[in-house]
Amino acid sequence: IAFGSQSEGRAGRTHFARKKLREEHPMKKQQGFTLIELMIVIAIIAIIAAIAIPNLLEARKGANESAAISSLRTLVTVQALYRDTDKNGDGEADFAGSLNDLFANGQLIDGVLSTGTKQGYTFTMASADSGFSWTAVGVPINDKTGTRRFFVDESGVMRFTTTGSPTVAAKPIGG
């Protein structure tokens, strides 16, 4: 019996020694994320990006098209001002022949539009009938900056097409 008691005593001391050792040297907790956690986060970000980026690109196209329409409306307004105030000083009620004329004669348009390129669109303007009529066209620089091509003339009616060059025969905006 003494033998059994002695063995029980050793077992008790061994258990007590382990417990004391754990208290003195607790296991260090690992810090950071596991590889699986990181992979899940990356997958979630990739899914969100796949959904958001196409919508963002379409929104940008829409903003570029709105800016192009606004620029062409500006041309309608400043052409009327140019004609009514005889900005070129020739004594005739004629329209400006180019975007540069609208900038050079009184800075009726901003310097960016006068270069012919603004917010993803290229603009051209020409006068005809000795300056008594004019047309302006805005076309996207590429298919990522817009899909519609715009046309306006002295009538002020804004027209668009999605293919080819826009002309007076193109569909009116809102029509």
Side-chain angles (χ1 to χ4, degrees), residues 92-154:
E92 294 185 16
D94 53 352
F95 295 109
S98 69
L99 294 171
N100 193 44
D101 288 346
L102 292 173
F103 181 73
N105 296 315
Q107 295 186 347
L108 299 174
I109 60 173
D110 64 67
V112 177
L113 182 56
S114 72
T115 65
T117 303
K118 186 173 183 179
Q119 203 164 346
Y121 270 74
T122 300
F123 298 93
T124 56
M125 189 179 81
S127 64
D129 300 329
S130 300
F132 293 105
S133 67
W134 65 274
T135 61
V137 174
V139 296
I141 293 172
N142 58 46
D143 62 343
K144 293 179 181 160
T145 61
T147 54
R148 295 189 295 172
R149 295 154 168 78
F150 300 102
F151 170 90
V152 69
D153 61 11
E154 68 279 351

